[in-house]
Each structure stands twice: as C-alpha cells, then as structure tokens.
Amino acid sequence: MRDRIPTFPAPASPPPSTSGGHGWTLDAVAAGLAGALKKSGHTVAVSECTSGGLLAASLLSLPGASAYFTGGAVAYASGAREALVPGTHDALRALERDRGSDNYASTTRYWESRVLWATTAARDLQLMCGADWGIAEVGAAGPSFHPATGVDKSSSGSGFTVVAVVGPPLDAQTEADRVWVRVCETGHNRRDENMWQFAAAAASLAARCVEGAEPADTAEDAILGDDARGDE
C-alpha cells in the first residue's frame, strides 16, 4: 500500500540563525501558498495532526491572511478527531468495521487509514469552513514509530506524513473536486524539525495544486484501490 502513494519531496530545513536546531520560521512555511491563494482569489482550510497547527499558524502570520484563510483544526487524539472532523472519525471507524480489525493491525491497514484520514479530513474542513481548498496531513514525527508504520527498526527511522489536498473542479463542466494525495519523508526522526517540514511540505504541495503545476490524481480509488474496499 505504501509504495502506491506518490511521493513529494520534503522541503530542506533553512540553516539556523543560531547554533543548533533548524532555521524554520512561520513566514518561511507557507508564503508560497499564501501568494498562490491571493493570486487565484481562493480560500483554504486546513486539518493538521502531526504538524500540530504550524501550517495554520504560518498562513495566519502573513499579512492579508483574512483574504485566504478560513479556519483549521488540530485533530490528534481520537476524541479530538471525533469532535473536530467527525466525518473523518466516522470514516475511519467504518474502515475498521469493514475490515474486522483496527487500523494498526498491519502495515497495509495503517497506510490505508492514513490515506483515508487525510483525504476525508481535507474534504471535511473544506466543506465545514466553506473554503475553495482543503488541506490535511497525518503521519509520524518520531523519534519512535509504531510497528504498523513499517518504518525500518534497524535504523533510527524517518518521519513521514501523508498530505491530501482537495480543490475545486477544473471547469464548469466538471462536478467532482480534484484530489491530490502524496507522502513526504524527511529522512530523519527529529520530532520538532519534522513538524516544521511536514507543514512546509503540505504548503508547498498545496501551492503547486492551486497554481495548476501538480497533476491531480485521477481518482481517490486509484490510491485507495480495491484493498480499501474489500478483503485482501
């Protein structure tokens, strides 16, 4: 399942202004996305998990944010997910019922559920906030990783996030929203830095989508596939 999700490169961390750490700042994360949204006259809503609200904070830190930012949610624990993105919560529970096992039962189950979580949460926020675009991310920042993620136990592991972007139809003749799903891996397990890189990756992917530079997926089912609808 993991190898069926297209990858998107993790933006490199800027050099730190002081010794140690990394050089991420709020304005560095989403300036490109903010510019693309302003140019298109579109609005966005975001659902975050592993990035912990950094994407929303970055969008709001830039002047003129009220023109393009409608709202966001950080749905981390199950209870928060049920309260903030109820459609996503229900979809994940339905997947467990259909499968007869929880979403951490195997690597296949885990990655199916991350794709479902990201795509459904992006659409949830888009609809609930009345935005043109919805963005969602969910992954694992480290330093340790659940066995179901499939992260190599023999190494320190790499942080990753699944990012979904849902956008308006390309033209008036098309009814369905466009959908993009990508996975971003950073190559390290430094939790704090991963959170910044996840937010920046989601912003960078979304900017390309808004600008028309990233081809949309033909359908969600091209990624979810038969594995998400029937028995293995």
Side-chain angles (χ1 to χ4, degrees):
M1 178 63 188
R2 161 63 186 88
D3 60 6
R4 292 163 57 186
I5 309 172
T7 59
F8 189 79
S13 295
S17 56
T18 58
S19 59
H22 54 77
W24 285 110
T25 57
L26 286 176
D27 59 347
V29 169
L33 174 56
L37 290 166
K38 285 182 177 180
K39 185 176 181 179
S40 67
H42 286 175
T43 57
V44 69
V46 301
S47 173
E48 297 178 73
C49 180
T50 328
S51 58
L54 289 172
L55 177 55
S58 176
L59 287 165
L60 280 171
S61 75
L62 299 164
S66 60
Y68 57 79
F69 185 73
T70 62
V74 179
Y76 194 73
S78 176
R81 189 179 65 219
E82 184 175 14
L84 298 173
V85 281
T88 302
H89 181 81
D90 292 346
L92 289 169
R93 290 293 169 262
L95 181 61
E96 290 182 326
R97 290 193 300 271
D98 292 344
R99 292 311 209 175
S101 60
D102 71 39
N103 291 325
Y104 288 84
S106 68
T107 301
T108 297
R109 293 285 180 272
Y110 178 85
W111 284 96
E112 284 176 350
S113 68
R114 299 310 96 166
V115 171
L116 181 63
W117 182 330
T119 53
T120 310
R123 185 169 287 113
D124 273 356
L125 264 292
Q126 177 202 31
L127 295 174
M128 290 192 297
C129 295
D132 297 299
W133 294 84
I135 308 170
E137 66 78 31
V138 56
S144 59
F145 301 90
H146 193 283
T149 64
V151 172
D152 187 0
K153 294 181 180 179
S154 65
S155 66
S156 59
S158 171
F160 63 85
T161 192
V162 176
V163 179
V165 178
V166 176
L170 191 59
D171 52 54
Q173 286 70 45
T174 307
E175 294 184 2
D177 282 343
R178 291 170 291 161
V179 179
W180 295 257
V181 181
R182 305 288 185 270
V183 63
C184 170
E185 296 179 340
T186 63
H188 63 82
N189 68 347
R190 296 185 295 276
R191 187 177 184 85
D192 172 64
E193 187 175 354
N194 274 332
M195 292 172 66
W196 285 95
Q197 286 182 273
F198 294 166
S204 180
L205 173 62
R208 287 181 55 82
C209 297
V210 174
E211 292 166 347
E214 185 78 11
D217 300 333
T218 55
E220 277 179 69
D221 285 349
I223 294 174
L224 288 172
D226 294 336
D227 287 349
R229 297 188 300 272
D231 294 334
E232 287 184 309

